[in-house]
Amino acid sequence: MARMVAERSDAIASLAEVFREHGYEGASLALIGKATGLGKGSLYHFFPNGKEEMVRAVLADIEQWFEDSVYSPLRDGEDADAAIATMLKETTKYFRSGGRVCLVGALAVANTRDLFAQAIRGYFVGWVDALQAALVRQGRDVEQARILSEDAVLAIQGAIVLSRALDDPAVFQRAIDQLHGRLAFDGTALDNSSGKRSF
Amino acid sequence: MARMVAERSDAIASLAEVFREHGYEGASLALIGKATGLGKGSLYHFFPNGKEEMVRAVLADIEQWFEDSVYSPLRDGEDADAAIATMLKETTKYFRSGGRVCLVGALAVANTRDLFAQAIRGYFVGWVDALQAALVRQGRDVEQARILSEDAVLAIQGAIVLSRALDDPAVFQRAIDQLHGRLAFDGTALDNSSGKRSF
DNA sequence: TAAACTGTTTACTGATCGGTACAGTATTTT
DNA sequence: AAAATACTGTACCGATCAGTAAACAGTTTA
């Protein structure tokens, strides 16, 4: 019999995609097997706890990617504005302008939320915290930065939902552009400390 | 045998809840039967096309509720500001401050999107259009009102995702409050026509 | 070379899936 | 009261579900 000498990590990208496309319940072992090219035996060899362990592995992989590509620059980058621009650019690419679902967001809305609550929370807390750090480094008020970063993360999730619902990537792109304007530190950020924004 | 004299419409609220909690694939006929108190025989009597027809009925019901409670006032209400305030209030109540999922949004993100694409699109188009109409009646530019209304609908969907992910209703409430500030016509709305907002 | 380890295939299990068929019971209509 | 209609419970269908078991092959270690 042919030996594929597959590694566990090789399967994770395929797993992520199949869970994104079909959700936790919708992704059957048959679909997973087809997507990864692995039989049940191999799958249970790599992930003895079945689907749940597969999702956990995928979530850890996603978390790591965001940590390296987005959170870390936001927290520690020299130029806060540049880090924010990178975040928006990488995010747009990652979610394919709304054409690709956010697995973490999708899990948060599904009934499987409780099973992965910690990982889901960690993903979003990491994002909001990192963005807040960048905004504070811009010179913004801590409390204001908190609100604004929550607002931004939330907008990205909403943009995915709406752009998919309308089947229009432009909706996603417009939302990202809006965020760019709102998150950029253009010198007026502290002029109006009331928190009330004019349009 | 006991006769329940059930009506089709009686089941729809329970159906909506079970689809919200378990999603389309996750809501098995066993679960649906338990939630509605109806056996398979009754369910297929009322909904000959099975789960798909059940979801369609639920979506139509939701659409109608939003039309009456939210869209119609936004489009035709005398006071645009009041209609917007009503929208935010009713929406908060409806989604239980993020504790309750938006079924339409959840379907939009799931792989079942294509099956219900038209209904999903109708729901969101109706919302954005109605809100845009109210914003225009406030005296805003049509194009600006479009962007702003997309932004608002998207923020509500994102707020549901994030507040569930963080298990914190306050996140939803803060997002609604933010929207209140951004959507209210406070006289400054046209002062800055560049579209760039100060914070 | 022999043993141990790492994958892979295949066949299988019991449970559950969505959906159908139909007899039977209530209600309404005539 | 009789007939038509509306609703319900149950038994059943083939398909698919997640997961297990075990024989077997390729690779690494001793």
Side-chain angles (χ1 to χ4, degrees):
Chain A
M1 286 147 207
R3 177 82 190 285
M4 302 291 178
V5 205
E7 289 192 20
R8 198 183 118 116
S9 59
D10 294 338
I12 292 192
S14 312
L15 285 173
E17 221 49 51
V18 74
F19 282 122
R20 249 188 277 271
E21 281 171 23
H22 300 277
Y24 183 70
E25 323 235 22
S28 67
L29 284 181
L31 276 172
I32 293 170
K34 202 158 62 177
T36 57
L38 262 35
K40 285 188 185 185
S42 302
L43 287 170
Y44 274 87
H45 175 71
F46 290 126
F47 308 95
N49 282 356
K51 277 167 62 163
E52 184 180 330
E53 190 171 348
M54 296 179 206
V55 170
R56 288 192 194 283
V58 168
L59 288 177
D61 188 65
I62 291 173
E63 170 82 25
Q64 194 58 56
W65 186 89
F66 272 86
E67 173 60 33
D68 296 344
S69 309
V70 178
Y71 305 168
S72 165
L74 282 174
R75 269 199 316 266
D76 311 321
E78 283 191 25
D79 185 346
D81 274 311
I84 289 170
T86 298
M87 172 189 102
L88 294 173
K89 207 185 65 187
E90 291 295 317
T91 299
T92 303
K93 219 194 315 171
Y94 185 84
F95 293 123
R96 308 232 177 95
S97 298
R100 196 198 213 188
V101 158
C102 175
L103 177 59
V104 192
L107 288 175
V109 169
N111 64 321
T112 43
R113 176 184 61 152
D114 297 3
L115 199 50
F116 308 110
Q118 203 177 341
I120 294 170
R121 179 187 213 87
Y123 172 85
F124 283 109
V125 167
W127 198 337
V128 173
D129 282 357
L131 181 52
Q132 182 186 20
L135 293 173
V136 167
R137 260 186 305 128
Q138 279 180 334
R140 298 188 199 247
D141 174 69
V142 173
E143 209 33 59
Q144 212 173 74
R146 184 76 198 170
I147 301 286
L148 193 48
S149 62
E150 266 183 18
D151 223 47
V153 171
L154 157 173
I156 291 171
Q157 293 296 313
I160 295 172
V161 174
L162 188 60
S163 73
R164 277 183 66 87
L166 300 180
D167 201 16
D168 181 6
V171 170
F172 185 89
Q173 200 53 61
R174 272 198 293 273
I176 294 291
D177 293 345
Q178 289 281 321
L179 280 181
H180 198 89
R182 291 215 275 149
L183 298 177
F185 186 69
D186 57 6
T188 70
L190 294 178
D191 290 1
N192 181 354
S193 59
S194 74
K196 188 156 216 161
R197 302 195 210 88
S198 60
F199 197 152
Chain B
M1 285 145 207
R3 178 80 191 285
M4 302 293 177
V5 205
E7 289 194 19
R8 199 183 117 116
S9 59
D10 294 339
I12 291 192
S14 310
L15 284 174
E17 222 50 50
V18 74
F19 282 121
R20 248 189 278 272
E21 281 171 22
H22 297 94
Y24 184 70
E25 324 234 24
S28 67
L29 284 181
L31 276 173
I32 293 171
K34 203 158 61 177
T36 57
L38 261 36
K40 283 188 184 185
S42 302
L43 286 170
Y44 274 86
H45 175 71
F46 290 125
F47 308 96
N49 283 355
K51 275 168 66 164
E52 184 179 331
E53 190 172 348
M54 297 179 206
V55 170
R56 288 193 194 283
V58 168
L59 288 177
D61 188 65
I62 291 173
E63 170 82 26
Q64 194 57 57
W65 186 88
F66 272 85
E67 173 60 33
D68 296 343
S69 309
V70 178
Y71 306 168
S72 167
L74 281 174
R75 269 198 317 266
D76 311 319
E78 284 191 25
D79 185 346
D81 275 311
I84 289 172
T86 297
M87 172 189 102
L88 294 173
K89 207 184 65 186
E90 291 295 317
T91 299
T92 303
K93 219 194 315 172
Y94 185 84
F95 293 124
R96 309 230 178 96
S97 298
R100 198 198 212 187
V101 159
C102 175
L103 177 59
V104 192
L107 288 174
V109 170
N111 64 321
T112 44
R113 178 185 61 152
D114 297 3
L115 197 51
F116 308 110
Q118 204 176 341
I120 293 170
R121 180 187 212 85
Y123 172 84
F124 284 109
V125 167
W127 199 337
V128 172
D129 282 356
L131 181 53
Q132 182 185 20
L135 294 172
V136 167
R137 262 187 303 128
Q138 279 181 333
R140 297 187 199 249
D141 174 69
V142 173
E143 209 33 59
Q144 212 174 74
R146 184 77 198 168
I147 303 284
L148 193 49
S149 61
E150 267 184 16
D151 223 47
V153 171
L154 158 172
I156 291 170
Q157 293 295 314
I160 294 171
V161 174
L162 189 59
S163 72
R164 276 183 67 88
L166 300 180
D167 201 16
D168 182 6
V171 170
F172 185 88
Q173 200 51 63
R174 272 199 292 273
I176 294 291
D177 293 345
Q178 289 281 321
L179 280 181
H180 197 90
R182 291 214 277 149
L183 299 177
F185 187 70
D186 56 6
T188 69
L190 293 178
D191 290 0
N192 181 356
S193 59
S194 73
K196 188 155 215 160
R197 302 194 209 89
S198 61
F199 197 140

